[in-house]
Amino acid sequence: MIAACIKSIDDRSTHGLSPADEAAIEMALRHGEATGHTVIAVTVGGARADRGLRVALASGVKTAIRVDAPNDTESAAVAAALAPVVAHSATVWCGDYSADRGTGSVPAFLAAQLRRQQALGLISAEFVDPLRVTRRLDGGRREVLRITGPAVLSVEGSIARLRRASLRPALAAQSAEVLPYGTTVVPSGKTSPPAVRPYRPRARVLPAPSGATALDRLRVLTDSSAAPEPGETIEAGPAEAAARIIEVLRGWGYLELAE
Amino acid sequence: MPENDFDVVVVGAGPAGSCAAIEAARSGLRTLLLERGPFPGSKNMYGGVVYPRILDDLIPEWWNEAPLQRWVTRRSTMVLTDTQALTVDFRNEAWAAPPYNGATAHRPEFDRWLADHAVAAGATLLCDTTVTGLLRGEARRSGRVVTGVRTDRPDGDVTASVVIACDGVNSFIAKEAGLYGTPNPKDFTLGVKETLALPRQVIDQRFGVRDLEGVDIEIIGCTGGINGGGFVYTNLESIAVGVVLKLTSLAAQTTRPEEIIARMKRHAAIAPLVEGGELVEYSAHLIPEAGLRMMPEMTGNGLLIAGDAAALCLAAGIWLEGVNFAMGSGRYAGQTAVEAIAAGDVSQRGLRGYASRLSDTFVLRDHRKLRRAPELVLGDRVQHLYPSMITGMAERMFRVDNPSPKPGLRRIFREERKRAGVSRRALLRDSRDAFRSFG
């Protein structure tokens, strides 16, 4: 089974599914067609969210499930509500943002809940064995991953356009049953969200700059004309590499807070 | 003969379409309501006031559930020149209590609410679906008959006994069915609106209202050399400011609509009302403004036309209404479809009850009574000469010009009429037309 997790918004300024959520439905359908798996669509929200599920049903999704919850439920709670519903799905496709421009963190929370691998912000996918996907990285770089085993994947809206549903399935979807899931009580998102602040490394003590005059000392502090310290490339196994990274980070003072 | 997919297909989930669908679905007909936008109301734009009295028996106590903004308790008519303004202001506290009168509303909310009633009545609502044409067949007695619609979805044909076209101004369905003559640009205006966000308390203070009370200001003389009018409406936390411009007049010059709104907003009588408002929406829409003169034939074989699609917008100066005419005509179209299907005759003849329903009620009676009004109100003298004459008279009346004695009103009237360039004959003719139109 393959699942598409979507969020349908229905307020005055925003409505429906985001292009990313629509793309997630399309990718789930293509994945289902390539592998022969059944595709389900799941959402967490109020009754109005059914409209998004009906879009999925019209497009070819076999089953639509809604976990009833307030619309402002926070991401971790949404993921906790989704997890039991999609626990048996081989692959879970999500959009990387919702129509109300949330944090896009539900896929990551969901992967953590399910203890699965994740690949987020995908811009392409090839349905070969193993599944081959491409992520967008900073600076125009790309990361190509091969996905083996169950995974949670999130996609950008540009990856695919949702197929246009034929009239008969679209009509049938309007009266199709949306299955309620359990009686899960999802905590309201009214709990205060975690504080978000700009990252600020801990202050660390630096030796006083050397120089005979104030100008020289200023130059030492501010001059960037000198060659930068070269980066270090090491070749090592994961454990050794991780140890080296931690050592360097500690040297730079980044880990003092955690410790 | 194979059974139709639906008994009734309603095209367009605006006020007309939803009311038609409610009537049909409540009578047990299999009803499909098609909407091209992602949700009902998403494509709609209007001046700002709805008069839902026609809903009294369709949705009892609609005022308790309809998503409305403010009850209009103040109606003002303002005559402007570049530096002057004369306002007639009427306030009625009773309009802020049941059964109410008019209210401002956001159409995405109002239309969705009305469509939800159609769905609750049993209609199937399908959005994101555009009707691209009519399906036709041959009937033994009535010849060519509409048998359904073609949509833009794959395999998108839907058959129905009756199609009710509520597809708005410039109706492609009515045109395709040959019910419209050649459209004349003179019959249309362009409505252009800015929605400006302002705190609720600021609106209350500026417009002299409180709680859910609201104001509707209609303005003449604010559109420069272009024939038209302006408006300011209060929503709960925003105001709508806009102009309605005669299409041919707008096209004949180079000033853009947003510049005309900007000029109106700078006027000394308007600026204090809109100051500091943050532009949150800009929209424009064609309005069928010529009333009776431009209306199409309302029925075809298997086809009914309602709302703006049938040019049922009333633009008669002091009465600017459209949504109530849409809801009324939609209801009557739905009732007629029910009646015709029950009788087994959906030909033009079988659907003739629609014309009589429209004729016997406010829908066509108001239009008939006010048939001369649109031309009079948008005429050159009302637009360009009378504002100057009227405000000039007011200025002379209230000016204290000592040591000169006050002039008599007849003298003021005569002199200001001449100054504004209004001939006595033209004034007599317009007075007669106004009396006939509004009397």
Side-chain angles (χ1 to χ4, degrees):
Chain A
M1 192 163 61
I2 289 167
C5 295
I6 56 176
K7 181 177 183 182
S8 184
I9 306 298
D10 189 7
D11 61 31
R12 196 181 149 241
S13 55
T14 318
H15 183 88
L17 300 172
S18 67
D21 277 349
E22 289 187 350
I25 298 171
E26 178 62 30
M27 296 308 287
L29 289 169
R30 288 183 194 177
H31 197 182
E33 286 158 4
T35 58
H37 283 114
T38 306
V39 180
I40 65 168
V42 190
T43 194
V44 176
R48 288 271 192 185
D50 284 356
R51 294 191 184 196
L53 290 175
R54 294 193 192 287
V55 171
L57 285 167
S59 304
V61 164
K62 292 292 172 222
T63 307
I65 300 168
R66 178 169 60 84
V67 183
D68 196 42
N71 288 327
D72 54 355
T73 305
E74 64 188 47
S75 297
V78 170
L82 287 171
V85 190
V86 299
H88 301 293
S89 302
T91 310
V92 180
W93 293 86
C94 307
D96 73 344
Y97 61 89
S98 54
D100 59 351
R101 282 278 168 187
T103 60
S105 55
V106 168
F109 277 118
L110 185 58
Q113 284 274 343
L114 296 171
R115 296 182 167 279
R116 286 196 187 169
Q117 55 188 331
Q118 63 180 26
L120 308 182
L122 304 184
I123 53 171
S124 77
E126 293 171 50
F127 299 107
V128 291
D129 192 20
L131 184 65
R132 184 184 152 96
V133 299
T134 307
R135 289 182 68 213
R136 189 194 298 279
L137 298 181
D138 290 344
R141 296 184 178 86
R142 299 286 183 264
E143 181 179 43
V144 179
L145 301 167
R146 287 179 184 80
I147 309 288
T148 54
V152 176
L153 311 174
S154 78
V155 296
E156 290 190 5
S158 60
I159 194 170
R161 174 173 282 193
L162 180 60
R163 63 195 65 183
R164 180 92 171 127
S166 298
L167 186 72
R168 307 288 152 187
L171 285 172
Q174 303 313 307
S175 54
E177 189 184 12
V178 170
L179 301 176
Y181 183 81
T183 53
T184 311
V185 177
V186 178
S188 160
K190 282 172 186 152
T191 52
S192 54
V196 178
R197 293 171 301 174
Y199 176 70
R200 191 167 295 162
R202 300 269 289 183
R204 55 196 170 114
V205 180
L206 293 173
S210 58
T213 66
L215 185 62
D216 292 339
R217 292 194 290 277
L218 266 177
R219 280 203 177 118
V220 171
L221 283 174
T222 59
D223 198 352
S224 58
S225 59
E229 205 174 309
E232 177 189 2
T233 304
I234 61 166
E235 288 183 18
E240 194 185 338
R244 176 68 185 131
I245 289 169
I246 288 169
E247 184 187 331
V248 171
L249 288 175
R250 185 173 289 129
W252 289 342
Y254 286 106
L255 298 181
E256 288 170 24
L257 181 65
E259 286 167 357
Chain B
M1 187 174 162
E3 197 187 6
N4 287 326
D5 298 319
F6 289 90
D7 297 316
V8 176
V9 169
V10 182
V11 182
S18 289
C19 283
I22 292 171
E23 291 282 1
R26 283 191 186 169
S27 296
L29 297 187
R30 294 168 304 140
T31 306
L32 173 62
L33 180 56
L34 292 172
E35 167 58 40
R36 70 182 168 139
F39 58 89
S42 59
K43 294 278 184 188
N44 293 343
M45 175 265 185
Y46 78 141
V49 180
V50 292
Y51 298 94
R53 182 87 304 116
I54 187 68
L55 295 180
D56 279 357
D57 60 329
L58 193 71
I59 306 169
E61 300 198 5
W62 46 266
W63 52 82
N64 286 329
E65 52 170 293
L68 301 169
Q69 292 284 303
R70 286 178 187 257
W71 302 109
V72 175
T73 56
R74 273 187 65 198
R75 287 210 52 172
S76 302
T77 301
M78 199 182 263
V79 180
L80 296 188
T81 62
D82 287 348
T83 56
Q84 298 166 318
L86 175 70
T87 307
V88 178
D89 185 29
F90 176 71
R91 179 190 285 265
N92 185 11
E93 296 298 312
W95 287 345
Y100 300 100
N101 183 45
T104 53
H106 291 311
R107 288 288 297 279
E109 295 171 350
F110 185 80
D111 289 12
R112 213 186 302 181
W113 165 75
L114 212 48
D116 283 346
H117 272 280
V119 172
T124 301
L125 170 66
L126 186 60
C127 296
D128 284 317
T129 307
T130 304
V131 168
T132 55
L134 292 168
L135 303 177
R136 291 161 190 270
E138 292 289 337
R140 208 162 359 122
R141 280 183 301 179
S142 48
R144 296 281 283 173
V145 61
V146 172
T147 56
V149 295
R150 174 156 291 169
T151 71
D152 64 338
R153 287 189 180 271
D155 304 320
D157 291 356
V158 194
T159 57
S161 303
V162 175
V163 172
I164 303 177
C166 307
D167 53 335
V169 61
N170 205 19
S171 165
F172 287 103
I173 294 180
K175 282 185 195 169
E176 186 185 329
L179 301 180
Y180 261 113
T182 310
N184 185 346
K186 280 184 182 167
D187 295 340
F188 294 91
T189 56
L190 181 71
V192 187
K193 183 176 81 169
E194 288 184 2
T195 304
L196 307 173
L198 280 170
R200 187 172 171 173
Q201 284 173 323
V202 172
I203 294 174
D204 288 352
Q205 286 165 4
R206 287 184 186 177
F207 289 85
V209 289
R210 57 180 58 172
D211 301 326
L212 293 178
E213 294 172 348
V215 181
D216 159 7
I217 305 174
E218 310 292 350
I219 308 164
I220 198 162
C222 59
T223 48
I226 303 166
N227 296 23
F231 58 83
V232 178
Y233 298 118
T234 55
N235 297 316
L236 208 55
E237 292 181 320
S238 66
I239 56 174
V241 184
V243 289
V244 174
L245 306 168
K246 196 170 178 180
L247 213 53
T248 45
S249 189
L250 178 66
Q253 49 80 65
T254 54
T255 313
R256 291 187 54 81
E258 62 268 26
E259 292 172 38
I260 297 164
I261 295 181
R263 194 186 303 155
M264 185 177 92
K265 282 161 58 183
R266 284 198 298 271
H267 193 283
I270 308 293
L273 302 176
V274 303
E275 209 166 57
E278 184 195 349
L279 181 65
V280 290
E281 188 181 291
Y282 178 86
S283 51
H285 207 279
L286 269 187
I287 306 170
E289 194 107 352
L292 210 59
R293 183 156 56 84
M294 69 180 297
M295 284 180 195
E297 210 172 326
M298 305 282 189
T299 56
N301 288 325
L303 180 66
L304 295 167
I305 316 288
D308 269 8
L312 286 168
C313 190
L314 183 73
I318 43 182
W319 293 288
L320 296 171
E321 301 169 19
V323 176
N324 49 336
F325 283 84
M327 293 190 292
S329 58
R331 287 194 63 180
Y332 302 138
Q335 291 166 4
T336 306
V338 171
E339 187 182 77
I341 290 168
D345 181 5
V346 296
S347 67
Q348 197 166 17
R349 185 179 160 75
L351 293 168
R352 66 186 181 281
Y354 183 48
S356 54
R357 280 184 171 90
L358 295 181
S359 291
D360 295 346
T361 58
F362 75 101
V363 178
L364 280 187
R365 288 177 74 164
D366 283 358
H367 269 286
R368 225 174 275 135
K369 183 190 284 184
L370 297 165
R371 65 187 178 281
R372 292 189 187 88
E375 205 166 342
L376 180 71
V377 172
L378 288 175
D380 286 342
R381 279 189 296 278
V382 172
Q383 289 287 317
H384 307 305
L385 303 185
Y386 292 146
S388 167
M389 186 181 93
I390 292 167
T391 54
M393 285 169 60
E395 197 274 338
R396 293 279 300 278
M397 279 169 61
F398 297 127
R399 188 203 313 161
V400 177
D401 214 7
N402 297 346
S404 302
K406 293 191 191 311
L409 289 183
R410 278 172 62 185
R411 184 178 148 201
I412 291 177
F413 174 69
R414 191 175 59 248
E415 288 177 1
E416 287 304 313
R417 177 179 64 74
K418 282 184 181 167
R419 187 191 56 76
V422 179
S423 73
R424 192 182 295 172
R425 178 183 288 184
L427 186 64
L428 280 172
R429 196 166 56 235
D430 289 341
S431 303
R432 186 198 60 199
D433 285 352
F435 186 75
R436 280 184 183 169
S437 298
F438 301 113

